Amino acid sequence: MKKKFSPLMIAHLVLMLLVLIFSVFNMIKVFSYLGAGPANTAPTIIYGVCSVFNAAAMCAGILYLWNEYGKKAAILYKSFLYLNVVVTVLMLVVNILVDGQTALKIPAIVILGVKAVILLVMTFKKDLGKKNTWTLFLALLILDVAGVVLMFIGMGANLIIHEIHGAAARLINAGTIALAIRGKYADKDRRGTK
């Protein structure tokens, strides 16, 4: 049976493919540095593992979309969100391990911690409802924007490209979460459930 995707679904697919490609590129880049002296550190390794989980999250999201956000594919939606939790916790660990400016490090850790909790609630709390889910997503988006602002405040001149890529990936990923939520509730509306 031929699938018919709406323009919004196609946009969602494109966003997830962009994050997937970025994650795979990042994974290859990070793991190719391993064994190269200073790059062989715990934060670098965790950052590489983070890219693996991010790629897995996008694969789950793509499969969820491919199944037209249907109820039978709900486990893919949960997997997509759960893998985003794992990525957020790994980034939290990286921020704790990396030496940096304390004035920026503490807010970054708090942002990632709160984001992880919100994602956990979205993943495991049953029957949140459309309004509460969108409220939680708005909080996630605000946290991501605040995290991006912190990234740019603390970046060094030699890291500008890396920070721009990281910021873009973070915001695009937020877009994929929003579109997954939209797809979930559009499917529920079609089925006449809350």
Side-chain angles (χ1 to χ4, degrees):
M1 183 169 114
K2 191 174 180 183
K3 305 252 183 209
K4 288 187 83 174
F5 294 140
S6 69
L8 205 53
M9 290 172 81
I10 292 167
H12 190 193
L13 180 62
V14 168
L15 287 178
M16 286 189 289
L17 286 171
L18 281 172
V19 176
L20 177 61
I21 290 165
F22 177 78
S23 297
V24 171
F25 171 77
N26 222 26
M27 198 187 324
I28 292 166
K29 189 171 85 170
V30 169
F31 288 129
S32 68
Y33 289 150
L34 292 182
N40 198 13
T41 62
T44 304
I45 294 166
I46 295 168
Y47 192 62
V49 172
C50 186
S51 294
V52 173
F53 280 105
N54 213 27
M58 291 308 111
C59 289
I62 289 166
L63 288 172
Y64 180 56
L65 180 147
W66 193 257
N67 284 280
E68 298 174 4
Y69 310 114
K71 185 177 181 180
K72 290 181 181 178
I75 188 68
L76 294 167
Y77 174 78
K78 296 284 186 190
S79 299
F80 170 71
L81 287 178
Y82 179 72
L83 288 163
N84 270 285
V85 172
V86 173
V87 169
T88 304
V89 170
L90 287 171
M91 290 308 296
L92 175 64
V93 171
V94 168
N95 273 272
I96 290 168
L97 293 176
V98 170
D99 293 329
Q101 301 172 9
T102 307
L104 297 178
K105 185 175 179 174
I106 292 170
I109 289 169
V110 170
I111 285 169
L112 288 167
V114 174
K115 182 178 174 181
V117 170
I118 291 171
L119 282 166
L120 278 169
V121 170
M122 289 173 70
T123 304
F124 294 112
K125 178 82 170 93
K126 287 193 173 197
D127 302 323
L128 268 174
K130 187 191 289 189
K131 184 180 177 185
N132 290 334
T133 302
W134 280 116
T135 301
L136 288 172
F137 171 75
L138 181 60
L140 275 182
L141 184 60
I142 290 167
L143 290 168
D144 275 336
V145 170
V148 166
V149 170
L150 284 178
M151 284 168 65
F152 282 111
I153 291 171
M155 77 178 164
N158 58 336
L159 294 175
I160 191 163
I161 298 299
H162 173 73
E163 297 295 353
I164 289 170
H165 284 163
R170 195 169 185 165
L171 295 175
I172 291 170
N173 191 56
T176 68
I177 293 171
L179 289 167
I181 293 167
R182 188 223 151 263
K184 172 185 175 173
Y185 285 104
D187 177 69
K188 281 183 174 245
D189 289 346
R190 274 193 303 272
R191 290 185 287 110
T193 57
K194 291 185 180 182

